[in-house]
Amino acid sequence: MHKILEARFLAENIKLFRIEAPRIARKRKAGQFVIVRLDEHGERIPLTIADSDTGAGTITIIVQGVGKTTKALNMKERGDSIMDVVGPLGMPSHIDKFGNVVCIGGGVGTAIALPTATALKKAENYVITINGARSKNLVILENEMKAVSDESYVTTDDGSYGFHGFVTQKLQQLIDNGKKIDFVLAIGPIPMMKAVADVTRAYKIKTVVSLNPIMVDGTGMCGGCRVIVDGVSKFACVDGPEFDAHVVDFKNLADRNKMYTKNERVSLKHFEHNCRLDKKINEIKTMND
Amino acid sequence: MAKLTAKERMQISRHPMVEQDPVERSHNFKEVNLGYTAEMAIEEAQRCIQCPKPTCTMGCPVSINIKGFINLVAEGDFSGAVKIIKIDNALPAICGRVCPQEEQCEQSCVLTTKYKPVAIGYLERFVADYERENGQVAIPETKASTGKRIAIVGSGPAGLSCANDLIQWGHQVTVFEALHELGGVLVYGIPEFRLPKEIVRQEINNLKTMGVEFQTDIVIGRTITIDELLEEEGYDAVFVGVGAGLPWFMGIPGENLVGVYTANEFLTRVNLMKAYQFPDYDSPILDCRDKNVAVFGGGNTAMDAVRTSLRLGAKNAYIVYRRSEKEMPARVEEVKHAKEEGVQFKILTNPVEFIGDEDQWLKAMKCIKMELGEPDDSGRRRPVPIAGSEYITEIDIAIIAIGNGSNPLIKQTTPEIEIGKRGTIIVDPETMETSKKGVFAGGDIVTGGATVILAMGAGRTAAKAIHEYVMTKPS
Ligand SMILES: Cc1cc2nc3c(=O)[nH]c(=O)nc-3n(C[C@H](O)[C@H](O)[C@H](O)COP(=O)(O)OP(=O)(O)OC[C@H]3O[C@@H](n4cnc5c(N)ncnc54)[C@H](O)[C@@H]3O)c2cc1C
Ligand SMILES: Cc1cc2nc3c(=O)[nH]c(=O)nc-3n(C[C@H](O)[C@H](O)[C@H](O)COP(=O)(O)OP(=O)(O)OC[C@H]3O[C@@H](n4cnc5c(N)ncnc54)[C@H](O)[C@@H]3O)c2cc1C
Ligand code: SF4
Ligand code: SF4
Ligand code: FES
């Protein structure tokens, strides 16, 4: 059992948790993730380690509620526990002194990009961050990103805050303005990562993306997380999750991630039904009290 | 009861296993084999002619005193019988169920040539079940503490049997397991209908009672390295029993289509994550109901996967295997059960391509017919494709069960441990010691995918050597 020491929403539907996991806290490096299982009936899902505190023995995860497990997790509060947390998994980000780097986070991808951006800053790169969201109320970690950046931008699809447009438009603008860019890290929805790869490919800018295939064990045993990189199958949980964006087969990843769409809808409905039942039972209980 | 003569013994015919009806069982996950009654066990035991030189024991990888235990079964002393087995095999309820007896103990039984062999496996299972079901499992005594600490990596049969011996000799034993459940392939691979998880759980509980400490959710190499176990966490020795958990692919086009599983993933989702109880359990699996499912391979894993798919409702469940049935490495009983349940065997058939639709969902497989040519390195006749014999079969789900390589995690993080060509750990076969001092290894990570009993045997061999090592090591 891993106790939750802190839980707070960063934006609508996106919640930060600080949880007890001393062994993982000591070991983790930027770019690595954990697999969590909430309870006995739970699924195993991967979540990036956004931060850690070796002294306190805690790790931080930032979770966007998209389906059953993430929504159930986001209902947890300080003092609650998570049954299983295993990690740190995956290869750490490749950190080097590249020169000028651009770290792009889209949506909850910003939380995944933050630790690597921090490490890149520490390695004495000139760090530019582009923090993209659909709309102002969904922007997360603005100050945290700014703190590790030499230049930072927020973009919103609807123009409600910061730069009006997609992260790729901001990136293109930087390139057009003659900024020399040596390395790009892009983490977010698959179409965003693909779009970034398409932009940088033309300029031969080394670009890395963090892939999010469906995982089970996270140790290389099941092969479910395989992605096609440069025509070869790779296991994202042990060989990745970061890969060279210019040779990733994004279509295959997107298609494979839709594998359980039907089941996921059933699961969510089942969950919401049970939540409503719980609420009803509680209401009846309070009425009787 | 008067003693039977050898002749009378040989006239008793082998007692078949009592099984669930094939049609019924192909729709449930309950155990297929129901086990002997006490009367059946005694009668079956009476078939043993108590050879002066029992060859059966030579066929058992851990040299169980088979003659001795069967003699007690014949006398109705079931608890006595199980005690004899447990001298050499800590997990008889499991081995009695999953050992390939027809290639081991039973093949070596003298009755095999003229009659059917004594049902050694069924008897082993019977006495172990008897002991457990009657609450008679005695927890072995443990010797006074030696103060030595041993770390075991992996909770499969190799790790468990190693822990079982070391704890009895008075060492402090901690087992580290990457997954959230203990038991290795016994829980995530072999299905409930062949090996009820409750049995594995009870065996592990016995180890806990004896004082073995278990830590789940720890990936050695990631959460802690072997060097850290030895240098920082103060362990005196480490046993590596991490299994062969890296699924192989066939390298044909279309293997990444949606609907193509490895057997490891398919079975893990069903057994470990209980996807057959979705949505009460959260992990999903593709709906097999009324679907055509093809499983590639001819081993136990393939049989487990194909029979699982039937239980999940598959309309047609195929085994696609490139050699002939004779070459199938699966236990004979599993092949028989699969056939009875309605699995269709496409032997001498090799897939060459998976075909998908525009959304990359699997739609069909293209296969080619094979014929047997000259024997290959394994002594089995090599299958060769028959030119122009390709054909297409519609399938919805494919499950690849052609074996596993070794997981590279330990190698990556402990480079001092020497690795063979196929990624397996190299050990001294007498002691199971690796090239790194104080680190021992055994089971599938050393042999490549093998059997439960061989993994257990290796765990015990290592335990003996570890004991000697820690007791003579200057601290
Ligand atoms: C390496 C890695 C790091 C990640 N880091 C984060 C993070 O820091 N914060 C965050 O909010 N999300 C992260 N994700 C995504 C997160 O794992 C999924 O959102 C989550 O699994 C969805 O589960 P669900 O039950 O809530 O939703 P579901 O309704 O079950 O699924 C929604 C979508 O999530 C994906 N998904 C479902 N199950 C899994 C699974 N077992 N493994 C991976 N993806 C799955 C599928 O694409 C699916 O269509 C990461 C994914 C990976 C692979
Ligand atoms: C589906 C299937 C059916 C089978 N059927 C039979 C059968 O009928 N009869 C038979 O005799 N054999 C059968 N086998 C083979 C048999 O199960 C194996 O040979 C045996 O389990 C090997 O035991 P092991 O202890 O070496 O490894 P495993 O049982 O593989 O256990 C290894 C354990 O180590 C853990 N681990 C791996 N890496 C790490 C790490 N870095 N840190 C911590 N823990 C780690 C794994 O999660 C796992 O729990 C079958 C195998 C499969 C897959
Ligand atoms: S352990 Fe296996 S091989 Fe040995 S006697 Fe028992 S069933 Fe036979
Ligand atoms: S070889 Fe067969 S008959 Fe002889 S002792 Fe062994 S089990 Fe009995
Ligand atoms: S999640 Fe199973 S191999 Fe990567």
Side-chain angles (χ1 to χ4, degrees):
Chain A
M1 281 293 180
H2 298 257
K3 199 154 184 195
I4 298 173
L5 302 179
E6 183 184 346
R8 61 186 160 89
F9 278 99
L10 299 180
E12 191 186 321
N13 219 12
I14 297 180
K15 199 165 180 177
L16 174 148
F17 297 94
R18 207 157 54 77
I19 49 186
E20 260 174 7
R23 275 193 156 134
I24 302 174
R26 208 173 53 199
K27 252 318 172 32
R28 78 43 87 154
K29 293 206 171 77
Q32 290 187 300
F33 62 94
V34 287
I35 283 198
V36 307
R37 190 176 73 125
L38 299 185
D39 52 46
E40 201 48 57
H41 288 225
E43 184 172 8
R44 296 169 64 100
I45 66 158
L47 296 164
T48 304
I49 307 167
D51 199 1
S52 61
D53 182 335
T54 315
T58 60
I59 60 167
T60 302
I61 51 175
I62 296 172
V63 187
Q64 180 171 32
V66 294
K68 151 88 208 257
T69 307
T70 46
K71 285 189 180 187
L73 178 53
N74 282 359
M75 285 168 71
K76 294 213 181 272
E77 298 294 348
R78 188 166 59 111
D80 291 344
S81 297
I82 299 174
M83 191 162 197
D84 297 284
V85 179
V86 54
L89 301 170
M91 298 294 267
S93 301
H94 173 67
I95 304 295
D96 214 330
K97 191 169 171 188
F98 296 103
N100 294 339
V101 305
V102 180
C103 296
I104 306 174
V108 78
T110 301
I112 305 175
L114 177 61
T116 306
T118 310
L120 285 167
K121 179 70 207 163
K122 250 201 192 143
E124 294 173 10
N125 289 284
Y126 183 86
V127 175
I128 304 169
T129 54
I130 306 177
N131 183 351
R134 263 182 304 157
S135 167
K136 182 176 178 188
N137 60 330
L138 295 173
V139 175
I140 57 166
L141 303 170
E142 189 186 353
N143 293 331
E144 287 82 350
M145 284 296 257
K146 201 174 259 166
V148 300
S149 310
D150 296 284
E151 266 175 60
S152 71
Y153 304 95
V154 173
T155 67
T156 52
D157 299 359
D158 63 0
S160 52
Y161 189 58
F163 175 89
H164 183 179
F166 296 132
V167 291
T168 39
Q169 290 169 303
K170 185 71 220 176
L171 175 66
Q172 187 68 55
Q173 199 186 54
L174 291 173
I175 296 170
D176 292 344
N177 290 347
K179 188 102 216 167
K180 183 177 154 290
I181 299 172
D182 303 294
F183 177 81
V184 172
L185 169 78
I187 305 176
I190 295 168
M192 181 208 98
M193 293 193 283
K194 181 176 184 302
V196 170
D198 290 342
V199 169
T200 60
R201 188 179 289 113
Y203 303 94
K204 297 204 168 62
I205 303 170
K206 185 177 163 59
T207 303
V208 161
V209 285
S210 179
L211 303 183
N212 60 338
I214 296 175
M215 295 187 177
V216 185
D217 57 301
T219 66
M221 180 271 282
C222 79
C225 66
R226 61 197 189 273
V227 290
I228 304 176
V229 182
D230 213 2
V232 184
S233 253
K234 294 274 180 192
F235 291 1
C237 71
V238 287
D239 303 323
E242 290 181 5
F243 293 100
D244 177 353
H246 294 154
V247 288
V248 166
D249 184 339
F250 287 104
K251 170 152 170 45
N252 184 260
L253 175 62
D255 287 332
R256 282 182 63 84
N257 269 5
K258 288 192 207 118
M259 188 150 172
Y260 298 110
T261 313
K262 251 198 224 158
N263 311 63
E264 284 152 6
R265 269 202 302 266
V266 172
S267 187
L268 190 58
K269 234 167 124 189
H270 183 76
F271 172 65
E272 283 169 349
H273 174 75
N274 285 346
C275 280
R276 270 197 302 275
L277 269 184
D278 274 355
K279 214 172 132 207
K280 271 241 174 70
I281 291 166
N282 283 334
E283 276 166 15
I284 295 167
K285 263 202 209 137
T286 9
M287 263 164 31
N288 291 346
D289 280 348
Chain B
M1 189 178 50
K3 280 251 179 211
L4 299 177
T5 64
K7 210 165 171 190
E8 282 167 332
R9 288 173 191 272
M10 283 185 280
Q11 266 154 12
I12 310 172
S13 52
R14 180 173 157 122
H15 287 61
M17 176 47 76
V18 185
E19 295 167 355
Q20 256 199 83
D21 172 70
V23 177
E24 199 175 307
R25 74 181 188 231
S26 67
H27 299 293
N28 69 48
F29 278 87
K30 285 188 244 155
E31 194 176 8
V32 168
N33 288 350
L34 303 173
Y36 281 165
T37 60
E39 293 72 39
M40 290 161 84
I42 291 173
E43 270 183 35
E44 180 62 30
Q46 284 170 345
R47 295 184 59 230
C48 167
I49 56 172
Q50 295 286 311
C51 306
K53 281 207 185 105
T55 46
C56 48
T57 291
M58 289 189 262
C60 169
V62 295
S63 307
I64 289 179
N65 175 3
I66 296 170
K67 172 182 163 179
F69 103 74
I70 290 187
N71 187 36
L72 292 187
V73 177
E75 288 175 6
D77 180 3
F78 305 139
S79 336
V82 80
K83 280 200 193 85
I84 293 185
I85 301 177
K86 282 197 171 170
I87 296 171
D88 299 297
N89 179 347
L91 306 170
I94 296 169
C95 292
R97 285 174 166 82
V98 304
C99 260
Q101 289 94 5
E102 69 276 2
E103 295 170 8
Q104 299 181 351
C105 51
E106 294 185 14
Q107 189 187 51
S108 304
C109 172
V110 287
L111 299 187
T112 304
T113 40
K114 274 179 92 177
Y115 309 88
K116 284 190 175 151
V118 175
I120 301 168
Y122 293 162
L123 289 174
E124 182 170 327
R125 170 201 158 120
F126 170 79
V127 293
D129 286 358
Y130 177 88
E131 182 194 41
R132 194 183 60 254
E133 282 157 15
N134 289 287
Q136 293 181 354
V137 180
I139 302 298
E141 301 241 334
T142 51
K143 295 223 170 82
S145 169
T146 59
K148 305 289 180 188
R149 302 177 66 219
I150 292 135
I152 291 182
V153 186
S155 65
L160 294 179
S161 69
C162 191
N164 179 60
D165 283 1
L166 289 169
I167 196 81
Q168 292 182 47
W169 296 330
H171 305 298
Q172 194 182 324
V173 182
T174 310
V175 178
F176 296 97
E177 169 56 51
L179 293 172
H180 60 260
E181 259 200 58
L182 301 165
V185 170
L186 304 178
V187 296
Y188 78 71
I190 303 180
E192 182 75 19
F193 58 81
R194 210 148 67 76
L195 177 63
K197 300 303 151 247
E198 189 49 38
I199 293 175
V200 183
R201 222 168 287 135
Q202 287 213 21
E203 295 294 357
I204 289 166
N205 280 341
N206 293 344
L207 289 176
K208 284 182 186 161
T209 313
M210 282 155 74
V212 176
E213 189 199 341
F214 287 95
Q215 294 196 19
T216 50
D217 294 334
I218 307 271
V219 184
I220 300 299
R222 294 267 199 238
T223 321
I224 327 168
T225 61
I226 289 180
D227 288 326
E228 286 164 344
L229 287 174
L230 290 168
E231 284 150 29
E232 291 171 23
E233 303 222 0
Y235 287 96
D236 297 289
V238 176
F239 175 75
V240 180
V242 294
L246 184 82
W248 279 329
F249 288 87
M250 299 184 290
I252 62 173
E255 272 181 317
N256 281 19
L257 290 169
V258 183
V260 182
Y261 281 109
T262 66
N264 281 5
E265 184 185 359
F266 187 79
L267 290 170
T268 299
R269 282 185 178 275
V270 177
N271 296 329
L272 182 71
M273 305 310 297
K274 309 217 166 46
Y276 64 98
Q277 295 181 47
F278 180 87
D280 274 336
Y281 280 77
D282 292 340
S283 290
I285 191 139
L286 286 180
D287 195 348
C288 292
R289 281 172 298 179
D290 290 321
K291 300 283 171 57
N292 299 320
V293 180
V295 178
F296 305 88
N300 288 319
T301 309
M303 297 306 143
D304 285 343
V306 78
R307 295 171 69 200
T308 297
S309 79
L310 270 184
R311 284 160 174 77
L312 293 171
K315 181 170 66 185
N316 289 299
Y318 306 111
I319 281 285
V320 181
Y321 183 58
R322 64 199 181 110
R323 302 179 193 253
S324 75
E325 196 180 316
K326 215 172 69 217
E327 280 88 19
M328 281 193 175
R331 296 178 74 226
V332 168
E333 187 179 50
E334 308 317 325
V335 176
K336 172 178 155 273
H337 282 166
K339 284 189 173 162
E340 287 168 0
E341 288 165 12
V343 171
Q344 300 163 53
F345 282 65
K346 290 175 177 283
I347 52 156
L348 287 169
T349 304
N350 208 22
V352 289
E353 185 184 350
F354 291 119
I355 302 163
D357 65 12
E358 64 278 14
D359 294 325
Q360 300 201 37
W361 281 73
L362 177 67
K363 280 283 151 267
M365 59 175 174
K366 188 195 267 180
C367 294
I368 189 162
K369 290 250 163 85
M370 312 289 277
E371 60 191 354
L372 290 180
E374 295 299 307
D376 63 11
D377 305 342
S378 70
R380 298 180 298 180
R381 291 175 66 193
R382 187 196 302 276
V384 280
I386 303 173
S389 67
E390 289 96 340
Y391 67 102
I392 288 175
T393 310
E394 285 190 8
I395 54 168
D396 307 283
I397 292 170
I399 303 168
I400 302 169
I402 58 162
N404 290 300
S406 342
N407 193 307
L409 212 57
I410 297 285
K411 175 182 71 176
Q412 281 168 6
T413 51
T414 320
E416 282 168 77
I417 295 180
E418 220 181 294
I419 299 289
K421 259 201 258 95
R422 303 175 74 199
T424 49
I425 295 181
I426 297 175
V427 296
D428 172 344
E430 299 281 306
T431 61
M432 313 307 279
E433 187 163 15
T434 68
S435 55
K436 184 174 166 71
K437 206 167 170 47
V439 180
F440 300 74
D444 281 3
I445 187 62
V446 168
T447 54
T451 60
V452 171
I453 188 68
L454 283 173
M456 285 184 39
R460 299 202 70 190
T461 308
K464 226 182 276 156
I466 291 171
H467 177 68
E468 266 163 41
Y469 172 78
V470 296
M471 296 311 283
T472 53
K473 174 181 124 173
S475 43

